[in-house]
């Protein structure tokens, strides 16, 4: 039904040589695996080199951010057309680090989501509560607010090309992963929000979990009915752990592997 999707978010790490080596090692480990989609998101400076290394592989390429305009006087920004030119089919938007460190608000993220869709780039849109919000038991409230803000004006067709990532901020880079039941609760809530907005696509949209995913903790999270994949930070920087995470996410009936 929903093809599992595992996305590596390399954040601000790796030079072009390191990035190319990593993606070659990842491909060696996942080639031949079927029934799963694998995407890597290098920093902007490594996109071109990684794009070349990924030619004729079944690994997709994504960026970690993007601006809302196709071109113009926006010093330091990167446009959807530039990403497409390098072969990017995905873009992470609204990551909690963009929200917390760079002050991105739901309204801007919403514009970016609509822009990505306009240029046929799949947006992977992050939502999730901070530790304080978690402790105040405001998870659902926060998710709902971010959902309403970042997904304004999406059509049913747009939704079919959109990926949501639930990333509790308290789990990102902390080694503290959500319990499978916590993840499932949040994911099921997101799917309810989806159903109340666009019932006909609610079952199609993939909802990824993110936050301290490791090879030994992801299987149980991935086994939850509303978890359709993972957004992996730290553990995506080592081929071995990333490959293991991909393998632990294969649909149960898939024994063999990726068509290259
Ligand atoms: P982490 O990062 O796996 O290192 O916690 C996840 C993310 O920020 O996307």
């Amino acid at each position: 039904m929903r093809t599992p999707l595992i996305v590596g978010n390399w954040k601000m790490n790796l030079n072009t040589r390191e990035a190319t080596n990593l993606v070659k090692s990842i491909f060696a480990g996942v080639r031949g695996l079927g029934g799963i989609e694998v995407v890597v998101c290098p920093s902007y400076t490594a996109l071109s080199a990684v794009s070349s290394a990924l030619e004729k592989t079944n690994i997709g390429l994504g960026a970690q951010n993007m601006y809302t305009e196709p071109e113009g006087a926006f010093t330091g920004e990167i446009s959807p057309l530039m990403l497409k030119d390098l072969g990017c089919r995905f873009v992470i938007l609204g990551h909690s680090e963009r929200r917390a460190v760079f002050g991105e608000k739901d309204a801007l993220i919403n514009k970016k989501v609509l822009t990505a869709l306009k240029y046929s780039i799949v947006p992977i849109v992050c939502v999730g509560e901070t530790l304080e919000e978690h402790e105040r038991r405001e998870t659902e409230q926060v998710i709902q607010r971010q959902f309403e803000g970042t997904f304004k004006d999406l059509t049913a067709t747009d939704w079919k090309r959109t990926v949501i990532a639930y990333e509790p901020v308290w789990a990102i880079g902390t080694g503290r992963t959500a319990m499978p039941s916590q993840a499932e609760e949040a994911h099921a809530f997101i799917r309810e929000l989806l159903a109340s907005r666009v019932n006909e696509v609610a079952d199609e949209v993939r909802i990824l979990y993110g936050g301290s995913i490791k090879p030994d903790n992801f299987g149980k999270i991935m086994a939850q009915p509303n978890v359709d994949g993972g957004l992996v930070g730290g553990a995506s920087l080592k081929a071995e752990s990333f490959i293991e995470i991909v393998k632990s996410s294969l649909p149960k009936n898939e024994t063999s592997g990726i068509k290259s």
Side-chain angles (χ1 to χ4, degrees):
M1 219 188 36
R2 297 186 292 266
T3 306
L5 170 63
I6 303 297
V7 181
N9 173 11
W10 295 354
K11 306 194 179 183
M12 199 176 72
N13 294 294
L14 310 180
N15 61 30
T16 50
R17 185 180 45 78
E18 291 163 339
T20 311
N21 288 341
L22 176 58
V23 85
K24 283 182 181 163
S25 306
I26 291 172
F27 181 57
V30 303
R31 69 186 303 164
L33 297 179
I36 193 159
E37 207 175 347
V38 179
V39 172
V40 292
C41 300
S43 60
Y44 288 137
T45 53
L47 280 175
S48 177
V50 170
S51 183
S52 306
L54 286 181
E55 261 175 47
K56 300 202 179 71
T57 74
N58 56 343
I59 298 177
L61 184 66
Q64 300 170 17
N65 186 27
M66 188 199 78
Y67 194 54
T68 56
E69 299 299 325
E71 62 192 4
F74 303 103
T75 303
E77 291 296 327
I78 302 284
S79 93
L81 293 178
M82 293 166 176
L83 296 183
K84 287 194 78 171
D85 183 43
L86 294 177
C88 286
R89 290 191 292 116
F90 298 83
V91 63
I92 299 171
L93 295 175
H95 189 279
S96 69
E97 286 149 18
R98 299 293 323 164
R99 292 175 188 264
V101 185
F102 302 99
E104 289 197 11
K105 299 276 185 285
D106 289 338
L108 174 67
I109 299 162
N110 177 235
K111 272 195 192 168
K112 293 186 175 191
V113 172
L114 293 170
T115 306
L117 289 163
K118 179 172 170 193
Y119 291 96
S120 304
I121 300 174
V122 174
I124 300 168
V125 190
C126 306
V127 297
E129 80 285 7
T130 63
L131 182 60
E132 295 72 39
E133 292 163 338
H134 181 71
E135 284 170 348
R136 289 199 301 263
R137 300 178 187 280
E138 291 173 1
T139 301
E140 294 196 349
Q141 248 170 283
V142 172
I143 292 176
Q144 183 158 5
R145 190 182 66 229
Q146 293 176 339
F147 184 96
E148 280 163 10
T150 53
F151 295 120
K152 229 166 136 241
D153 298 331
L154 263 67
T155 65
T157 317
D158 288 337
W159 273 114
K160 288 186 185 170
R161 295 183 287 129
T162 298
V163 174
I164 303 176
Y166 169 61
E167 295 207 307
V169 180
W170 48 270
I172 296 177
T174 58
R176 192 181 157 193
T177 322
M179 288 178 349
S181 57
Q182 284 177 313
E184 173 57 20
E185 221 172 282
H187 284 227
F189 177 69
I190 293 170
R191 207 171 299 285
E192 271 170 37
L193 291 174
L194 265 166
S196 64
R197 175 81 80 82
V198 274
N199 195 23
E200 69 270 32
V201 300
D203 278 340
E204 285 180 52
V205 177
R206 289 182 287 188
I207 308 174
L208 315 183
Y209 168 81
S212 295
I213 292 178
K214 301 280 178 291
D216 60 358
N217 65 26
F218 195 52
K220 286 198 176 119
I221 297 176
M222 190 61 200
Q224 303 301 310
N226 283 293
V227 177
D228 308 311
L231 180 52
V232 189
S236 71
L237 291 169
K238 292 266 176 297
E240 221 170 72
S241 50
F242 190 63
I243 292 163
E244 261 190 73
I245 290 165
V246 171
K247 287 187 173 164
S248 72
S249 311
L250 286 171
K252 295 287 163 284
N253 55 356
E254 281 294 337
T255 46
S256 72
I258 292 185
K259 301 131 219 133
S260 65

